[in-house]
Each structure stands twice: as C-alpha cells, then as structure tokens.
Amino acid sequence: MIKRNISLLVSSTVLLLGLGVFASQTAAAQTTPLYAQCQGCHQPTGAGIPGVFPPLAGHIPEVLAVKGGREYLIQVMLYGLQGQITIKGAKYQGVMPGYAQLKDEDIAALLNHISTQWGNKLPAGQKAFTADEVKAQRAKTMTAAQVLEARNKLGLK
C-alpha cells in the first residue's frame, strides 16, 4: 500500500512538473521581451488605453484592409507615430516610439503577432509579414510626423 501511494505521488509530481514546464514555455512564447514592450501601452488584451494608446484588437485588420496599410504599419514600427489619431470615433494622443533598432525579422514577427491576436486576422489573400517587406520600408527615411501624414492619406478613422 505504501509503495502504491509513493508510486502515485511520484507519477502525479512528474505529471504536474511536465504541465508546469509546458505552461511556462507557452506563456514565455507570448510574453517575450519584444511583445512585453507593446503590452505596456497597448495592454495584454490589445485594448490600448483610452485617449492615449490606441487599441490593436479589432483595429489592425481594418488598417490591413486599406491599400497601403501594411506599409504604414511597418513604418509605425520603424519610425514611430506622433500626433492625434482617431479610431472608431475615439481620439488618441500618445506617442509611439520607433523601433528601428530591431531586426527586420523581429519587426515582421511583432506585426504578425498583432495581426493574429485578440481575434485579429489577416485579410483574405494577405500573407504574413516578411523581413523583406520591413527592409523595403527601412530604406525610406521618415519622421514620426511623416508617418502620421501617411496615416492621414490612408483615410483611416
């Protein structure tokens, strides 16, 4: 009886440890330092902070659906965004820093993450972002104010 209880205890412990490792690896994949930087402003839920930082949830597919939207999102990541924007009638006045110091692959990965989280989906016919797309936008030199101009030309509301 004691041997059976010890065997059950050991089996249970191994199972729990295995589940714990799996859970921590899964959580780590979603909270890498790259994604953690985004969460500070846009929140883990992608809801943003009213009046300051816009939502990513529900908004990114709208941006991607507009001609030039993919390029604009890459530009935001590379060069930042400064100035008031309006999303679904709500105004936001936060400052998005540029992350040009990140590798092209990392920026593509971040954009793919925000394009497929919180119920977001890439529009039909669009593929995942690539490092080559980022590299093409990196060849441009823009200011955060010019990125705002680019947004305004897209007609996003």
Side-chain angles (χ1 to χ4, degrees):
M1 174 101 167
I2 293 176
K3 285 184 181 181
R4 183 170 183 252
N5 287 341
I6 290 174
S7 177
L8 262 170
L9 180 62
V10 168
S11 296
S12 298
T13 303
V14 168
L15 178 63
L16 288 174
L17 285 173
L19 288 173
V21 167
F22 173 77
S24 68
Q25 287 175 342
T26 301
Q30 293 184 354
T31 59
T32 64
L34 288 176
Y35 301 139
Q37 289 180 13
C38 303
Q39 291 177 2
C41 297
H42 297 287
Q43 303 301 295
T45 61
I49 298 174
V52 187
F53 302 113
L56 301 176
H59 179 60
I60 297 301
E62 293 172 351
V63 175
L64 291 171
V66 174
K67 182 177 166 116
R70 287 176 72 88
E71 294 81 5
Y72 161 74
L73 287 175
I74 295 169
Q75 293 165 1
V76 170
M77 289 297 304
L78 287 170
Y79 307 112
L81 179 66
Q82 187 170 356
Q84 183 174 294
I85 63 172
T86 303
I87 297 174
K88 298 180 183 177
K91 297 185 184 315
Y92 297 88
Q93 190 64 48
V95 175
M96 166 83 179
Y99 289 95
Q101 73 277 13
L102 296 178
K103 295 177 185 175
D104 295 342
E105 297 81 16
D106 291 338
I107 290 177
L110 282 168
L111 290 168
N112 288 323
H113 178 78
I114 67 169
S115 298
T116 58
Q117 295 298 302
W118 319 293
N120 290 346
K121 293 181 182 178
L122 289 166
Q126 285 196 26
K127 296 180 180 177
F129 284 89
T130 67
D132 287 339
E133 284 180 283
V134 176
K135 183 178 181 180
Q137 292 304 311
R138 190 183 292 276
K140 299 178 180 181
T141 306
M142 298 177 76
T143 66
Q146 289 171 320
V147 175
L148 177 63
E149 279 182 45
R151 178 187 174 81
N152 291 338
K153 288 178 183 175
L154 294 177
L156 297 169
K157 299 286 178 195

